Amino acid sequence: LDFPGDHKETTVIRLERNYRSTANILKAASCVVAHNKSRHEKSLWTEDLPGDSISLWAVPDEYAEAKVIAESIKGELDNDIPGCEIAILYRVNSHSRLLEDALRKANIPHVIVGGIRFYERAEIKDILAYLKIIHNSDDDLSFKRIINMPRRGVGVKSMAALQEIAASNRMSLYSTVMSADLSNLYSKSQEGFAQFANMMEHLFMFAKEKDVGELIGEVARKSGYIEMLKEDGSIEARARLDNISELINSGIEFANTHPDDPSLTAYLAETALISDIDQYEEDEESVSLMTVHSAKGLEFDVVYICGLEDGLFPIARAMESQEELEEERRLFYVAVTRARKKVHLLYAGMRHRFGEEMTGIQSRFIDEVPKNLMTTEQENRRERRRESVPAPSPRKGSRAEKAGAISPGTIVEHPFFGRGEVRAMKGWGDNAVLTIAFPKYGIKKVLMKYADLSIVRN
């Protein structure tokens, strides 16, 4: 940005003509990115007609969002728009699960660009492997996957020795850990196997009393997986943590939509079926799903940009840094200008994280799009309501049961987000909505009756 000032003989040539997008799309994107201070001024233009207005969808929650998108895409396909000319863009990878589910249910071929499908991600396979052992303790393949994930000090040699002992006694690996003599193994490996066995015995008992949603959360916590990712603290680790959160949501959703059989057996059968369905080969008619980063350089006739809430897009960690916020705004500009003809913007009034309801706030980027360029769509007009997915039941035994004990300035502890400060409180009792600032995860809005908070300091 400083190059022209440092080199006075520089000539700046602005490439302002755009051959891709309609005039309305360009104007919307330009008005948003104009809020950035660190940029060279330029005005994109095109000889194309203004085109369609930007469609803005305000939906109740993430389930309605996915359904609206699937139904809208179905309409585009019926109007002879090829699937390869349609893209769904999101800020974080964990956003893809419900979108994949909705497209799968609508029989719409789709492909994840620059990533892998939700149930094929490493952390999802790891947590599912724990569930498979809870379902069948003789599952040696799952045992091998997670015995040292997170690390428990079980080395390659000790694992090979365990397999030899198991084979000689014709026992499964888990049964060998529970009953065989392992005194010849390294002491650190013995400790690791014992720790694993104690944890699994706890999870076996937990599974008998709780539904699959609660079980997934307990597995993620007791295994040390969440702690491992929190200690890592990298952007990749946070993304993996988001994926685990979404897996917990899937378990709660399954328990609420399958009241006749909310068992672990039924849940694993469904995830196995989904994985099998996802093995089909994508063709040229597949709709593309991808993060905004993966969309750079690509273009489509129709683009859906979802998850447009503050804290999600722009992402939470960028909201207290002007430099990072401007980078998020540039990403939004990239997302909008991937479209040639039509852009859909979607935000949800509520989302779930680790099974808890989080109130959504419309992204500031939507506010920066001129109102005359947008048409607000009515999600409820077409009765696109979430189908029988009741909210999670409030957690019992919360250490902050009385809303009266919490007020702005109170320091609280959340089981997943850690320690944070209550910045605002709206409403009363169980229905109070708390705005909490968490150092690592930014500003979150939580509903009192769903948040398992403990008070650290008033």
Side-chain angles (χ1 to χ4, degrees):
L1 290 174
D2 296 331
F3 189 90
D6 295 340
H7 303 275
K8 301 301 181 183
E9 69 281 6
T10 299
T11 299
V12 177
I13 300 173
R14 293 179 172 84
L15 303 178
E16 297 178 318
R17 184 176 180 183
N18 183 285
Y19 294 89
R20 175 192 299 144
S21 306
T22 65
N24 279 342
I25 291 173
L26 291 181
K27 189 172 182 180
S30 297
C31 286
V32 173
V33 82
H35 286 76
N36 280 0
K37 296 178 180 178
S38 302
R39 61 185 293 268
H40 288 300
E41 291 292 334
K42 68 176 183 178
S43 300
L44 296 180
W45 62 277
T46 180
E47 292 184 349
D48 278 352
L49 296 172
D52 292 341
S53 298
I54 309 294
S55 291
L56 176 63
W57 295 87
V59 296
D61 54 28
E62 66 266 57
Y63 298 93
E65 177 185 65
K67 190 175 182 186
V68 161
I69 291 174
E71 290 183 359
S72 179
I73 289 176
K74 200 74 170 175
E76 298 288 4
L77 296 175
D78 290 343
N79 288 327
D80 296 325
I81 302 295
C84 60
E85 290 295 346
I86 301 173
I88 307 173
L89 308 184
Y90 37 82
R91 181 62 181 83
V92 292
N93 266 314
S94 58
H95 208 122
S96 75
R97 182 187 71 87
L98 287 175
L99 297 169
E100 292 178 56
D101 285 351
L103 295 178
R104 191 183 302 111
K105 289 173 183 175
N107 295 316
I108 297 174
H110 54 282
V111 57
I112 305 290
V113 176
I116 56 179
R117 294 179 182 272
F118 182 80
Y119 289 101
E120 294 301 312
R121 295 168 190 169
E123 57 276 11
I124 302 303
K125 285 188 169 183
D126 289 342
I127 300 299
L128 288 177
Y130 278 100
L131 297 179
K132 289 175 182 176
I133 289 188
I134 294 170
H135 176 249
N136 174 18
S137 61
D138 293 336
D139 187 340
D140 284 353
L141 194 61
S142 294
F143 182 97
K144 293 176 186 177
R145 183 178 184 95
I146 49 97
I147 181 58
N148 212 32
M149 178 56 66
R151 293 190 181 279
R152 299 184 177 87
V154 177
V156 175
K157 290 183 179 178
S158 293
M159 190 61 204
L162 182 73
Q163 289 179 266
E164 287 184 11
I165 297 171
S168 63
N169 290 296
R170 295 183 178 181
M171 299 167 64
S172 70
L173 294 174
Y174 185 79
S175 296
T176 303
V177 167
M178 292 299 295
S179 59
D181 180 9
L182 305 181
S183 58
N184 290 330
L185 302 182
Y186 293 114
S187 59
K188 192 172 183 180
S189 293
Q190 291 183 50
E191 291 174 8
F193 285 131
Q195 178 190 22
F196 179 79
N198 289 335
M199 175 198 63
M200 291 306 302
E201 289 302 299
H202 164 78
L203 292 175
F204 288 139
M205 295 300 297
F206 191 92
K208 293 178 180 178
E209 301 174 357
K210 305 293 184 179
D211 64 41
V212 68
E214 293 177 282
L215 176 59
I216 295 172
E218 187 72 359
V219 166
R221 287 187 293 270
K222 285 292 183 180
S223 66
Y225 216 105
I226 287 178
E227 183 180 356
M228 174 188 73
L229 295 177
K230 282 185 173 182
E231 288 179 356
D232 183 313
S234 66
I235 292 176
E236 181 184 356
R238 291 181 184 182
R240 297 179 70 192
L241 197 58
D242 285 340
N243 284 331
I244 292 175
S245 167
E246 193 56 38
L247 186 67
I248 294 171
N249 291 343
S250 79
I252 294 173
E253 175 189 333
F254 181 86
N256 289 337
T257 55
H258 296 74
D260 294 336
D261 187 13
S263 64
L264 176 59
T265 302
Y267 176 77
L268 289 174
E270 179 163 294
T271 57
L273 178 61
I274 290 172
S275 297
D276 288 343
I277 293 172
D278 282 347
Q279 297 305 312
Y280 70 79
E281 293 185 6
E282 294 87 7
D283 56 33
E284 61 182 12
E285 296 304 311
S286 294
V287 171
S288 297
L289 286 77
M290 69 193 85
T291 63
V292 180
H293 280 104
S294 297
K296 292 178 179 179
L298 303 178
E299 57 185 72
F300 306 88
D301 281 349
V302 183
V303 170
Y304 297 82
I305 308 171
C306 51
L308 284 169
E309 299 109 50
D310 275 358
L312 189 53
F313 197 179
I315 204 160
R317 61 178 177 270
M319 291 173 61
E320 296 189 14
S321 163
Q322 185 63 32
E323 183 179 347
E324 290 189 34
L325 184 60
E326 292 198 358
E327 179 58 30
E328 290 290 297
R329 191 174 279 113
R330 282 188 285 271
L331 278 176
F332 180 78
Y333 173 89
V334 167
V336 171
T337 55
R338 296 311 89 199
R340 299 190 195 98
K341 300 177 181 179
K342 184 68 178 175
V343 174
H344 296 267
L345 308 179
L346 299 99
Y347 74 94
M350 180 192 72
R351 288 186 191 275
H352 292 86
R353 183 168 170 81
F354 293 105
E356 295 180 5
E357 290 186 353
M358 300 289 180
T359 302
I361 301 174
Q362 177 179 296
S363 172
R364 62 195 65 194
F365 299 153
I366 293 177
D367 296 333
E368 293 168 1
V369 176
K371 298 296 182 286
N372 65 308
L373 298 179
M374 291 193 294
T375 299
T376 301
E377 304 287 349
Q378 295 297 320
E379 187 272 341
N380 58 358
R381 180 184 63 194
R382 302 183 187 183
E383 298 181 349
R384 291 186 177 108
R385 295 186 61 82
R386 191 173 84 187
E387 295 179 350
S388 60
V389 186
S393 300
R395 296 176 185 268
K396 296 181 180 179
S398 168
R399 288 167 288 179
E401 291 176 5
K402 295 184 179 179
I406 294 179
S407 61
T410 301
I411 305 300
V412 295
E413 185 87 21
H414 188 279
F416 299 105
F417 303 131
R419 192 163 295 189
E421 179 184 354
V422 177
R423 295 286 179 83
M425 183 173 178
K426 185 177 181 180
W428 185 254
D430 282 347
N431 293 319
V433 176
L434 306 178
T435 300
I436 307 174
F438 296 100
K440 288 187 177 181
Y441 297 95
I443 303 294
K444 300 292 181 186
K445 285 183 177 285
V446 303
L447 198 61
M448 174 67 78
K449 64 183 176 183
Y450 295 126
D452 186 8
L453 298 173
S454 58
I455 298 175
V456 177
R457 185 174 67 253
N458 280 321

